[in-house]
């Protein structure tokens, strides 16, 4: 099983979904470590309840030196002999230094159907634009923010009466389904980057579109 670290900054509900999925011994990844850049992240408590090792690399202790922060993260990952990294609500932009070091072995979940709505406040912007479908994307991390080869997506309808919160909740449900699926595809070697920009999963059914 691939030794996987999850990087969080907050609540950690996606982290919880990955940990739960990986409790099945047949799952091709095991969650070995949870790292937070915030000492007060709620997800840290949750990880401990699951008996998972945790570490804090507090970005505020690096005086704005992004690379020094990332070197520390990298050292913690290497010391734990980590194979794969899953970003789950990790709210720091990573520089090419760390991204390149983990190319093809680091994945992220973004709360929108990329390439639409990169960045923050995705649900507010989806409502402003009046899109009728919204959702979430798991992708390999590349040097550009919220870019990189797409592994899987999940779509949800946008309803007339939606608020950013109601839409976020519907998307979050789908996040919890697609992230374990994506980690499974990557850890088993089924999801592979093709030509640097696209991911082949070898099976059209691997994309989750629960409509
Ligand atoms: C999730 O909706 C995730 O997609 C999003 O933050 C939330 C974290 O929730 N990530 C980003 O916006 C990344 N820029 P969680 O801590 O409960 O998993």
């Amino acid at each position: 099983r691939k030794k996987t670290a999850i990087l969080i900054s907050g609540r950690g509900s996606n982290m919880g979904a990955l940990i739960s999925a990986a409790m099945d011994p047949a799952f091709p990844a095991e969650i070995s470590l949870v790292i937070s850049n915030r000492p007060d992240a709620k997800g840290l408590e949750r990880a401990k309840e699951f008996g998972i090792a945790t570490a804090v690399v507090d970005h505020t202790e690096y005086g704005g030196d992004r690379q020094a922060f990332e070197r520390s993260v990298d050292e913690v990952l290497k010391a734990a002999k980590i194979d794969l990294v899953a970003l789950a609500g990790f709210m720091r932009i990573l520089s090419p230094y760390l991204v390149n070091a983990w190319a093809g072995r680091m994945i992220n979940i973004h709360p929108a159907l990329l390439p639409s709505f990169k960045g923050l406040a995705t649900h507010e912007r989806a409502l402003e634009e009046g899109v009728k479908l919204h959702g979430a994307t798991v992708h390999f991390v590349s040097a550009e923010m919220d870019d990189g080869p797409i592994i899987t997506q999940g779509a949800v309808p946008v309803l007339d009466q939606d608020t950013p919160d109601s839409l976020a909740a519907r998307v979050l449900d789908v996040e919890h389904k697609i992230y374990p699926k994506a980690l499974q595809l990557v850890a088993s070697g089924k999801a592979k980057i093709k030509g640097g920009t696209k991911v082949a999963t070898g099976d059209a059914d691997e994309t989750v579109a629960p409509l």
Side-chain angles (χ1 to χ4, degrees), residues 14 23 68-69 80-81 85 92 103 109 115 117 120 158-159 163 171 177 179 182 185 193 202 209:
N14 277 290
M23 282 179 163
F69 164 70
K81 299 202 164 30
V85 178
R92 302 293 299 166
I109 188 156
F117 309 121
L120 298 175
V158 180
L159 307 179
T163 62
V171 171
K177 294 190 177 80
Y179 211 177
L185 288 171
I193 301 179

Side-chain angles (χ1 to χ4, degrees), residues 8-15 46 88-91 108-111 119-120 123 136 146 171-172 175-176:
I8 63 168
S9 299
R11 169 178 65 177
S13 72
N14 277 290
M15 174 204 78
R46 222 161 152 185
F90 183 69
M91 304 308 277
N108 178 48
I109 188 156
H110 181 73
L120 298 175
H123 309 305
D146 299 331
V171 171
L172 194 64
E175 292 185 44
H176 297 162

